[in-house]
Amino acid sequence: MKRLLYAIICFAAFVGMTAAEGSRSNKSELRRQLTVFNSLVKELQTNYVDTIDAARLIRTAIDAMLDEIDPYTEYYPEEDQEELTSISSGHYGGIGAYIQARDGRVIVSQPIWDSPARKAGLLHGDVILQVDSTVLTRGIESDKVSKMLRGQPGSQVRVRVLRPYMEGRDSVFTFDIMRHNINVNHLPYYGVDSAGIGYLRLSTFNEKSARSVREALEDMRRDGHLRGLIIDLRGNGGGLLESAVQIASLFVPKGTEIVRTRGFGRNSERVYKTTSQPVDTRLPLVIMTDEGTASASEILAGSLQDHDRAVIVGARSYGKGLVQVPRQLPYNALMKVTVARYYIPSGRLIQAIDYSHRNPDGSVARIPDSLRRVWHTRAGREVLDGGGITPDVEAMDTNMNRLLYNVIADQWAYDFANRYRARHPETPDPDSFVVDDSIFNEFKAFIDPARFKYDRMSEAGVQYLRDAAKAEGYMNDSVAAQLDILERLMKHDLGRDLDFNRDELIDILDSEISERYFSDADRTRRSLKYDTEVDTARAVLLDLPRYEKLLQPKKK
């Protein structure tokens, strides 16, 4: 059966590639291949020895075919379209909780702040045992559970959960939750500090984002104290292109080109210009980016960089320069299909991966720097295409190491925060709460050394020296003894390693624990206290001569 499935997938992928070419060249070849595929499915349905789930096989074939094109062209049957709608509209019907699969079960990874789920009492880490009359078995897919939890606003769902870290108390709870329209919090926080530097965190681009940003900007400007603005797009994966254009229009003159899209054919180009009067064309701006800044975020950052309207601070962005639009299919299905590439005002394409040219194994790679072309901003500054948006001022948190990575990836900090919340149900003051020595030592004791795994580079280095000495003939009793001494001197102690990374761990714990108690706005505001990248952005805005110099071409 697996061989059969693989054959169908491969054939479907071939048909997909033929379709992409045939629709613009040999239509008869396309018809021939589709006829063969149709006959193949009929033969399997009629004659195969076992029962075949035709719908599942065809869906697998469709997904495999689209994967050969790019990761953004996707198929949505009628029952899966709520996700696509929620991205553009900024809301959906449900209880307002992120869920994930973990250890064969589905857990509440985070109840959204002020959501029905949170108000009802669901907490981080709750294991979902039952939704209405459906008992969840081990191995159930999280997307199936998500569909059970979503539904018409005003309808009710019963959720039964197992709560960890209750320490002898009853740990099974049942909640009756009324579904509501859940609004995606696209603007978690904005505010102005004592130095007059405004900060605005934007998490996505949907139908409401531009209006919210305009209102926030006008609010920050109201008392005349605002002298510079940071727009934080780190981790913002994008959304609606039109939303990015509308936000850019707040800072540049009416009629300014922000982006243009080009598809297949001479008449496919479309130019997007600002259509409204700006709010402020002179306010110093910094846009913050990182490797998670993509799509519409890159349009906003890149267009303002190309117009020399903002300084980009952070790390190079993701590099997604492909445009998708939904197309209606039979039986109320949709396909989100890539129809064009977008180009920002300098003329550059920021797409970092060329999906049309694949390696022999089918993989694709980022465009190497040697092939990136030089373009110029309006003032004549050099900028590169084919690799996202390169910041004018680099600012990255480079303190991440393997121990810190494993604390996050293996969810040690997440689980500890869940236990902390179970032991401390009262909500602390967001302005005075700190992760002190007591909490840090409690976290150290929480980690089980037998289960905590991380790469120890110094120990690996000593082993490398041993292997190299043996391979090259330098190993003798004296060398072995010296390496033994070196190994003892560099042997890792988990407690010592945790203490060495204390400052970084406290930041991680503060973020996790805060998520259990505080609103999005309070958490964002608190995080600014130890965000060194935001400090870099503030320093640029506080030094106006430096800011202006960064927006001028470098003298040769």
Side-chain angles (χ1 to χ4, degrees):
M1 189 66 180
K2 289 183 178 179
R3 278 186 170 183
L4 173 64
L5 180 58
Y6 179 74
I8 291 177
I9 292 172
C10 291
F11 186 80
F14 171 73
V15 171
M17 289 184 286
T18 304
E21 298 172 359
S23 62
R24 294 168 186 169
S25 54
N26 192 338
K27 293 184 179 180
S28 62
E29 177 65 15
L30 171 62
R31 285 194 296 268
R32 188 172 75 87
Q33 296 295 345
L34 290 175
T35 300
V36 171
F37 181 68
N38 186 49
S39 298
L40 183 149
V41 174
K42 286 183 177 179
E43 285 294 328
L44 292 174
Q45 184 74 2
T46 304
N47 298 315
Y48 188 68
V49 64
D50 292 327
T51 301
I52 289 177
D53 184 343
R56 183 176 65 86
L57 286 181
I58 296 299
R59 177 61 190 269
T60 303
I62 289 172
D63 291 341
M65 176 176 65
L66 298 183
D67 281 345
E68 285 293 314
I69 300 172
D70 66 52
Y72 312 114
T73 297
E74 297 178 288
Y75 169 69
Y76 293 86
E78 184 177 13
E79 61 271 18
D80 292 345
Q81 290 175 27
E82 189 174 11
E83 176 188 352
L84 189 61
T85 303
S86 66
I87 293 173
S88 60
S89 65
H91 64 81
Y92 63 92
I95 67 171
Y98 297 113
I99 63 173
Q100 70 176 65
R102 184 177 180 189
D103 299 328
R105 308 301 291 267
V106 175
I107 70 167
V108 177
S109 60
Q110 178 189 353
I112 297 173
W113 184 262
D114 210 25
S115 67
R118 188 180 186 97
K119 290 177 179 178
L122 286 181
L123 298 180
H124 293 71
D126 282 351
V127 179
I128 302 178
L129 303 176
Q130 185 173 341
V131 178
D132 286 332
S133 61
T134 303
V135 177
L136 306 189
T137 58
R138 281 192 173 272
I140 190 170
E141 297 175 358
S142 60
D143 60 341
K144 292 183 179 179
V145 181
S146 179
K147 290 177 184 177
M148 296 178 196
L149 296 174
R150 292 192 178 195
Q152 190 68 26
S155 62
Q156 187 167 281
V157 61
R158 173 165 289 186
V159 182
R160 191 164 179 256
V161 302
L162 171 69
R163 181 161 295 164
Y165 306 115
M166 293 302 291
E167 299 176 349
R169 291 171 287 166
D170 188 5
S171 60
V172 176
F173 299 86
T174 300
F175 301 97
D176 291 316
I177 307 173
M178 188 76 72
R179 297 183 178 97
H180 287 192
N181 266 323
I182 306 302
N183 294 308
V184 178
N185 192 356
H186 51 274
L187 185 58
Y189 174 78
Y190 72 89
V192 184
D193 65 19
S194 59
I197 303 302
Y199 173 89
L200 185 151
R201 173 90 177 186
L202 190 65
S203 63
T204 190
F205 290 80
N206 58 37
E207 294 172 352
K208 304 175 183 178
S209 299
R211 183 176 68 251
S212 296
V213 172
R214 174 182 284 273
E215 292 172 354
L217 178 60
E218 290 174 343
D219 186 29
M220 287 187 283
R221 294 177 72 244
R222 195 157 286 131
D223 63 0
H225 181 55
L226 186 66
R227 57 182 289 194
L229 175 63
I230 299 168
I231 300 179
D232 192 346
L233 300 180
R234 292 175 298 175
N236 186 325
L240 298 180
L241 179 151
E242 292 82 359
S243 178
V245 175
Q246 292 167 5
I247 293 173
S249 72
L250 302 175
F251 305 104
V252 295
K254 181 180 178 180
T256 300
E257 179 179 329
I258 301 302
V259 64
R260 63 179 61 202
T261 63
R262 296 177 192 148
F264 183 81
R266 296 180 179 178
N267 299 321
S268 66
E269 183 171 274
R270 182 177 178 183
V271 180
Y272 294 80
K273 296 182 178 181
T274 58
T275 59
S276 59
Q277 293 297 334
V279 173
D280 196 323
T281 60
R282 300 178 62 84
L283 178 70
L285 286 177
V286 162
I287 307 291
M288 298 191 67
T289 63
D290 65 6
E291 62 278 0
T293 304
S295 191
S297 293
E298 294 174 293
I299 292 175
L300 177 60
S303 63
L304 294 181
Q305 185 182 50
D306 282 356
H307 286 300
D308 305 295
R309 183 63 189 87
V311 171
I312 311 300
V313 173
R316 196 162 92 180
S317 64
Y318 181 81
K320 180 183 180 293
L322 302 177
V323 183
Q324 288 77 43
V325 298
R327 299 293 192 193
Q328 194 69 46
L329 298 175
Y331 301 104
N332 294 321
L334 285 174
M335 179 169 68
K336 182 164 65 74
V337 58
T338 299
V339 297
R341 297 178 175 86
Y342 60 67
Y343 298 80
I344 49 180
S346 63
R348 56 181 167 148
L349 169 70
I350 61 175
Q351 176 64 26
I353 299 176
D354 184 0
Y355 293 100
S356 63
H357 295 89
R358 293 178 177 265
N359 299 322
D361 63 357
S363 63
V364 288
R366 295 182 70 89
I367 298 171
D369 288 345
S370 60
L371 297 181
R372 298 175 69 194
R373 295 173 56 190
V374 175
W375 298 82
H376 294 87
T377 69
R378 175 174 290 184
R381 294 186 296 150
E382 291 187 354
V383 287
L384 298 176
D385 69 359
I389 304 299
T390 301
D392 302 303
V393 178
E394 290 192 359
M396 290 182 64
D397 183 358
T398 58
N399 293 326
M400 182 62 67
N401 56 38
R402 194 65 194 187
L403 181 140
L404 298 174
Y405 173 82
N406 280 86
V407 164
I408 297 172
D410 294 339
Q411 298 192 302
W412 287 100
Y414 178 88
D415 290 340
F416 174 78
N418 291 342
R419 192 185 75 169
Y420 185 89
R421 171 64 178 77
R423 291 182 171 182
H424 305 83
E426 65 284 352
T427 300
D429 179 6
D431 292 320
S432 60
F433 174 76
V434 293
V435 177
D436 55 18
D437 289 341
S438 174
I439 297 176
F440 181 71
N441 290 331
E442 187 180 341
F443 173 67
K444 287 176 59 180
F446 176 77
I447 292 181
D448 180 0
R451 293 192 302 115
F452 187 81
K453 307 296 181 184
Y454 64 107
D455 293 337
R456 300 163 175 85
M457 293 184 63
S458 56
E459 292 181 8
V462 174
Q463 185 59 47
Y464 175 82
L465 288 175
R466 289 186 188 277
D467 294 340
K470 291 177 182 178
E472 297 178 2
Y474 287 99
M475 181 61 75
N476 53 41
D477 291 344
S478 177
V479 171
Q482 293 300 318
L483 289 174
D484 289 342
I485 295 172
L486 182 62
E487 185 175 34
R488 286 195 296 271
L489 290 172
M490 303 185 71
K491 190 172 184 61
H492 276 264
D493 175 81
L494 179 58
R496 176 236 174 241
D497 291 348
L498 292 171
D499 286 335
F500 181 78
N501 291 279
R502 183 182 186 280
D503 291 345
E504 291 79 12
L505 287 170
I506 283 179
D507 290 348
I508 294 169
L509 293 174
D510 187 287
S511 176
E512 285 287 358
I513 295 174
S514 294
E515 198 173 85
R516 274 72 177 164
Y517 295 107
F518 307 135
S519 68
D520 296 341
D522 282 338
R523 294 202 321 270
T524 304
R525 179 171 53 82
R526 285 174 51 82
S527 71
L528 296 179
K529 297 177 182 179
Y530 50 81
D531 194 325
T532 57
E533 296 169 21
V534 172
D535 290 342
T536 300
R538 289 184 72 256
V540 170
L541 290 172
L542 289 171
D543 187 348
L544 195 56
R546 181 191 179 196
Y547 172 84
E548 293 175 344
K549 184 177 181 180
L550 286 168
L551 295 176
Q552 297 298 320
K554 293 182 179 179
K555 295 182 180 180
K556 296 182 178 179

